[in-house]
């Protein structure tokens, strides 16, 4: 038996139906703007914790992390260890501030600490970051579905993207965060189950018991974790660890998308339990993806599809690392049978759409919240009825813009999309990191009008440094730690544009109260 495009379409339809049912159940009682923006602060912390794992993983991790094992082995766990440290900083530095100020949008803090220009530029950098980051993630998912399903049915790529964004809009437009925390919990569990089933099926296909599989992974030559020997290597431990830590602080703690669910918990204590719980969960979850990656490379080698570091299909066509998992999961032998198992194909599709919808739904909801509150200030200008109308218009526009952006990425190629996501984050989240660091840990008053200039110049300076680092600094090549330099340059620029007069009370670090 082999999986057909018709079976895949049936799986997607059933999955979407499940999402719609959950959306209906979570919004049938109350669906006002408060529940859309913050879930009325009634979300159980353990539900949010599980939901956040799926939102953070996305289709990029699902496809790219197994594929990157061939080049970077298990070095990604160094970054995942940094993630855990970053989540502690979020739980005990940022969350107390957000709950103290009772924020719906976390960028409101910048207005209180620095002024309106800082507030606007912070929200603008988030909007740019989220559109680009989610666009890259969704592009990867859409292009995979296009290759394995829609091309065979004659469906154009633009229609694939359009239908995806319509589905995302449909299950989020009423409930917002209230719906997302429950939908994303189900999607996270579906995603993890899909990875476990895929690992199990590959083990069975290769005739491995569990102890045999562990030994095979350890002895594979792809399981190296620690890199302490070469500071110029992008895999160098301290580069990866601190990049992971500050990437988490920036892409989660300073990201309305990620924090919106955390702020839907009942109180600060529950939100902290949620953050620490899903922070630690990233180590075993990412380990699962890396183990899957090793098994995929070993299976590909057994079929003659991986030789001398080159990945190819059965016909000899070269594949990118991001294409390894999709090809082996859905590819067929010359006699029409699935390469591994029909169940791997089924659960690959389930995992892929789980990751995709979780990421896209969360992003579009957060973009709607930020644009409505931070840019339009609609919550200050309108009653509930008018606010709901504005919110719904913004929600539709964001879904439409996201669809256009995803389609535009169809002309861009990249060997590893997860690398592209972190590079984009290094440039766009750096100014946010600098703003919050300066605001929390200094009492200086910034000249608000200079903040946009500083936040624009900092990524430009970092781009110049990145392009010339090897030549200027004795072979040193910048990796994901570029985010730290970006944030540091922003903080330095803010210091130069500030005076020593005391800052407003809201700008104090919560730990110093």
């Amino acid at each position: 038996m082999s999986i057909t495009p018709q079976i895949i379409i049936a799986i997607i339809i059933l999955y979407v139906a499940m999402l719609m049912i959950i959306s209906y159940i979570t919004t049938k009682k109350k669906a006002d703007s408060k529940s859309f923006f913050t879930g009325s602060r009634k979300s159980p912390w353990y539900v949010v914790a599980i939901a956040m794992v799926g939102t953070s993983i996305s289709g990029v991790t699902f496809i790219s992390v197994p594929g990157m094992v061939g080049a970077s082995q298990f070095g990604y766990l160094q970054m995942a260890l940094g993630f855990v440290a970053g989540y502690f900083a979020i739980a005990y530095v940022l969350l107390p501030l957000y709950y103290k100020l009772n924020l719906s949008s976390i960028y409101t803090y910048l207005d209180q600490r620095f002024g309106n220009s800082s507030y606007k530029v912070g929200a603008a950098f988030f909007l740019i970051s989220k559109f680009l980051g989610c666009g890259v993630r969704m592009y990867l998912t859409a292009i995979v579905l296009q290759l394995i399903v829609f091309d065979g049915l004659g469906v154009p790529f633009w229609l694939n993207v359009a239908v995806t964004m319509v589905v995302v809009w449909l299950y989020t437009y009423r409930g917002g965060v209230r719906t997302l925390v429950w939908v994303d919990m189900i999607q996270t569990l579906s995603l993890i189950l899909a990875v476990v089933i895929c690992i199990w099926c590959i083990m069975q296909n290769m005739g491995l018991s569990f102890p045999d599989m562990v030994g095979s992974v350890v002895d594979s030559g792809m399981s190296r974790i620690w890199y302490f020997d070469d500071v110029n290597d992008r895999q160098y431990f301290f580069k990866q660890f601190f990049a992971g830590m500050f990437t988490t602080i920036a892409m989660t703690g300073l990201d309305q998308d990620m924090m919106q669910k955390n702020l839907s918990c009942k109180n600060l204590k529950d939100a902290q339990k949620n953050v620490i719980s899903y922070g630690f969960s990233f180590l075993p979850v990412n380990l699962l993806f890396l183990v899957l990656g090793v098994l995929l490379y070993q299976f590909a080698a057994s079929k003659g599809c991986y030789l001398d570091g080159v990945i190819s299909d059965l016909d000899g066509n070269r594949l990118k690392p991001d294409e390894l998992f999709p090809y082996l999961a859905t590819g067929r032998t010359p006699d029409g049978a699935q390469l591994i198992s029909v169940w791997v194909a089924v659960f690959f599709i389930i995992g892929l759409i789980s990751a995709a919808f979780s990421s896209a739904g969360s992003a579009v909801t957060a973009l709607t919240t930020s644009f409505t509150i931070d840019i339009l200030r609609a919550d200050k200008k309108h009653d509930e009825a008018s606010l709901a109308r504005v919110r719904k218009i913004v929600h539709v526009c964001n879904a439409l813009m996201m669809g256009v952006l995803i389609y535009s990425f169809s002309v861009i190629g990249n060997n590893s999309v997860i690398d592209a996501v972190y590079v984009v984050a290094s440039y766009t989240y750096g100014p946010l990191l600098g703003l919050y660091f300066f605001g929390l840990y200094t009492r200086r008053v910034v000249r608000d009008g200079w903040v946009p200039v500083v936040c624009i110049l900092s990524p430009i300076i970092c781009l110049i440094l990145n392009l010339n680092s090897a030549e200027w600094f004795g072979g040193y090549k910048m990796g994901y730690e570029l985010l730290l330099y970006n944030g540091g340059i922003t903080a330095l620029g803010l210091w130069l544009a500030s005076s020593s007069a005391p800052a407003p009370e809201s700008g104090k670090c919560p730990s110093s109260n």
Side-chain angles (χ1 to χ4, degrees), residues 472-512:
W472 291 352
F473 307 117
Y476 177 83
K477 295 181 180 179
M478 290 187 180
Y480 301 143
E481 76 276 11
L482 181 63
L483 173 70
L484 281 69
Y485 301 139
N486 198 350
I489 292 170
T490 301
L492 176 62
L494 294 173
W495 186 85
L496 294 173
S498 65
S499 62
S500 58
E505 185 72 14
S506 62
K508 293 172 65 177
C509 174
S511 61
S512 67

Side-chain angles (χ1 to χ4, degrees), residues 293-418:
V294 173
L295 293 176
L296 288 170
Y297 275 99
Q298 291 179 333
F299 182 83
S302 72
K303 298 296 182 181
C305 296
Y306 181 61
L307 184 65
D308 296 329
V310 176
I311 312 168
S312 61
D313 61 20
L314 291 176
D315 296 324
N317 300 309
R318 192 163 182 168
L319 301 175
K320 299 175 183 177
D322 287 337
E323 296 171 337
L324 176 64
F325 189 14
Y327 173 70
L328 294 181
T330 62
R332 301 181 190 180
T333 63
D335 61 4
Q338 294 295 143
L339 272 174
I340 303 177
S341 163
V342 68
W343 291 111
V344 171
V346 168
F347 280 96
F348 171 79
I349 297 300
I350 291 174
L352 184 63
I353 60 177
S354 297
F357 284 134
S358 178
S359 178
S362 183
V364 171
T365 301
L367 287 166
T368 298
T369 299
S370 182
F371 196 85
T372 303
I373 293 177
D374 300 324
I375 304 300
L376 299 180
R377 308 299 295 266
D379 59 324
K380 305 294 185 183
K381 301 175 182 178
H382 302 291
D383 58 19
E384 171 56 32
S386 298
L387 177 59
R389 285 194 295 270
V390 171
R391 167 176 57 83
K392 289 175 181 178
I393 293 172
V394 171
H395 199 59
V396 170
C397 292
N398 281 329
L400 179 62
M401 290 174 63
M402 184 65 71
V404 171
L405 182 63
I406 295 167
Y407 181 76
S408 71
F409 280 127
S410 60
V411 297
I412 300 174
N414 196 291
N415 286 334
S416 180
V417 176
I418 196 165

Side-chain angles (χ1 to χ4, degrees), residues 5-201:
Q6 290 76 17
I7 293 175
I8 296 175
I9 293 293
I11 293 171
I12 294 174
I13 290 173
L14 289 173
Y15 193 88
V16 170
M18 178 190 70
L19 298 183
M20 296 306 173
I21 291 171
I22 296 173
S23 177
Y24 172 75
I25 292 173
T26 56
T27 59
K28 64 181 181 180
K29 292 183 179 179
K30 186 179 182 181
D32 57 11
S33 295
K34 184 178 180 181
S35 67
F36 186 96
F37 296 141
T38 66
S40 300
R41 300 205 191 278
K42 294 180 179 180
S43 301
W45 71 267
Y46 49 87
V47 173
V48 178
I50 297 172
M52 290 296 295
V53 174
T55 303
S56 301
I57 288 175
S58 82
V60 173
T61 303
F62 188 70
I63 294 176
S64 275
V65 171
M68 69 192 294
V69 167
S72 58
Q73 303 182 38
F74 277 25
Y76 188 64
L77 284 180
Q78 298 176 128
M79 200 166 183
L81 195 62
F83 294 164
V84 177
Y87 284 117
F88 271 92
I90 292 168
Y92 295 104
V93 177
L94 293 176
L95 279 178
L97 174 69
Y98 297 155
Y99 270 86
K100 174 186 175 182
L101 299 179
N102 194 30
L103 303 180
S104 294
S105 168
I106 64 174
Y107 307 115
T108 307
Y109 162 74
L110 298 176
D111 189 19
Q112 299 180 28
R113 174 61 175 88
F114 297 120
N116 187 62
S117 294
S118 304
Y119 175 35
K120 295 295 185 183
V121 78
F125 266 94
F126 162 71
L127 292 170
I128 294 169
S129 303
K130 188 52 58 178
F131 268 116
L132 291 176
C134 186
V136 171
R137 293 179 177 97
M138 286 300 297
Y139 162 72
L140 175 61
T141 303
I143 203 68
V144 169
L145 289 174
Q146 186 70 27
L147 290 171
I148 66 178
V149 183
F150 299 116
D151 276 347
L153 298 175
V155 176
F157 183 69
W158 69 265
L159 185 57
N160 166 10
V161 173
V163 170
T164 298
M165 295 315 301
V166 167
V167 171
V168 168
W169 172 77
L170 281 174
Y171 80 79
T172 59
Y173 84 101
R174 291 187 72 237
V177 172
R178 171 176 285 188
T179 296
L180 280 176
V181 294
W182 292 98
V183 168
D184 286 356
M185 180 189 71
I186 300 298
Q187 296 189 137
T188 299
L189 296 175
S190 299
L191 178 63
I192 295 174
L193 176 63
V195 176
V196 172
I197 294 295
C198 288
I199 290 174
W200 177 260
C201 289

Side-chain angles (χ1 to χ4, degrees), residues 5 132 160 176 213 216 248 253 283 288 291 309 322 339 349 359 366 426 435:
L132 291 176
N160 166 10
M213 183 272 291
S216 178
T248 295
L283 289 173
L288 279 177
V291 168
D322 287 337
L339 272 174
I349 297 300
S359 178
S426 296
L435 278 167

Side-chain angles (χ1 to χ4, degrees), residues 408-472:
S408 71
F409 280 127
S410 60
V411 297
I412 300 174
N414 196 291
N415 286 334
S416 180
V417 176
I418 196 165
D419 183 69
V421 169
Y422 286 131
V423 169
V424 167
S426 296
Y427 288 106
T428 57
Y429 281 93
L432 283 172
L433 185 63
L435 278 167
Y436 277 83
F437 179 84
F438 190 89
L440 287 168
Y441 291 105
T442 76
R443 300 297 311 282
R444 296 176 68 87
V445 175
V446 177
R447 295 174 179 85
D448 187 43
W450 281 96
V451 172
V453 177
V454 171
C455 290
I456 292 171
L457 284 178
S458 180
I460 294 174
I461 294 171
C462 285
L463 176 62
I464 296 171
L465 290 174
N466 191 30
L467 293 175
N468 297 280
S469 62
E471 180 182 349
W472 291 352

